[in-house]
Amino acid sequence: RSRLSFALPPRVIEHLPRVARARVRARSMGDARVTALADAFRDDFDVPHVTAREAMARVANGARGGRACVLVDVRDAEERAVSVIEGAMDAEAYERAREGLGAHDAICYCTIGYRSGKYAEKMAKRANDGDAKYFNMYGSILAWTHEGGTLVEPSTGLETKRVHTYGKQWACAADGYEVVYFKNPLAKGLGQMVRGLFRKKK
């Protein structure tokens, strides 16, 4: 089972300066919360998971000429407007481009991994040519922040420390990030569901 990777032995933490000790403990608590949230449904999807660190390695390998790797952001436009993982495509753009990408890995992410797990599973069932392999990013964009990954603001392309966490329950980005979330995520989710059903009927 995947886990976020940050941990220091207690005896090491105790020898750090007081401010550093507080930061290490806060980060460890944030990591633990992301892990608990992601673990709640990680076995619900018939699709392999990769950690944020593994996703970074696969993207870097693809850039060096290895198997191509695409990051797919399945969140809605309002969430993506705050920030996205650098180089990621939204789901609609990915589906338009998929056939022209050739053999590739598609690593899907959302806030914590639930929506992206559903999406990756759906796409894996639809893929018949074997050129694309689908993965869910364990802990998704929250785990990415804890691994020090780069986020950018789409409108400017500039690096940012702001991240949309959908709801307050998931507001556990790494220390130093400004979190943004919907005040009523349940209503927002119902609205997204209705729009999704409408698009399917069209």
Side-chain angles (χ1 to χ4, degrees):
R1 295 167 70 88
S2 302
R3 288 290 185 275
L4 300 181
S5 58
F6 183 84
L8 284 176
R11 63 180 180 279
V12 174
I13 295 174
E14 291 307 318
H15 285 87
L16 295 172
R18 183 165 58 183
V19 173
R21 287 202 305 271
R23 288 176 177 168
V24 167
R25 285 176 176 139
R27 182 175 176 183
S28 297
M29 288 174 64
D31 281 354
R33 188 174 172 196
V34 172
T35 297
L37 290 168
D39 269 353
F41 48 77
R42 63 157 288 136
D43 295 328
D44 291 354
F45 311 112
D46 186 20
V47 65
H49 292 72
V50 295
T51 64
R53 182 171 294 185
E54 289 167 342
M56 293 174 187
R58 289 182 186 232
V59 170
N61 182 61
R64 292 193 297 265
R67 182 177 171 87
C69 183
V70 180
L71 296 174
V72 184
D73 190 328
V74 310
R75 301 173 302 156
D76 75 4
E78 193 171 347
E79 295 169 85
R80 297 193 309 269
V82 176
S83 64
V84 298
I85 294 176
E86 187 175 26
M89 305 173 70
D90 66 69
E92 291 184 359
Y94 168 73
E95 290 178 37
R96 290 194 300 268
R98 187 183 72 84
E99 291 186 4
L101 294 174
H104 65 280
D105 292 342
I107 299 178
C108 309
Y109 75 89
C110 57
T111 301
I112 190 66
Y114 181 76
R115 289 175 290 171
S116 53
K118 290 177 65 176
Y119 179 82
E121 185 177 58
K122 177 188 76 172
M123 293 301 293
K125 290 177 179 177
R126 282 171 48 180
N128 297 317
D129 52 19
D131 282 347
K133 294 182 179 178
Y134 292 90
F135 301 85
N136 187 28
M137 190 189 300
Y138 176 82
S140 281
I141 201 169
L142 291 176
W144 189 268
T145 68
H146 283 273
E147 288 292 353
T150 301
L151 300 181
V152 296
E153 184 180 356
S155 63
T156 64
L158 298 177
E159 186 172 348
T160 182
K161 289 290 187 181
R162 300 180 74 234
V163 60
H164 202 298
T165 66
Y166 194 77
K168 187 176 181 179
Q169 176 183 353
W170 302 280
C172 48
D175 188 39
Y177 283 81
E178 177 190 349
V179 297
V180 180
Y181 49 81
F182 298 121
K183 291 183 178 178
N184 191 341
L186 179 59
K188 185 69 178 180
L190 289 173
Q192 290 173 346
M193 186 182 302
V194 170
R195 288 194 298 274
L197 290 172
F198 180 72
R199 282 196 295 269
K200 287 180 182 178
K201 289 180 180 180
K202 290 175 66 177

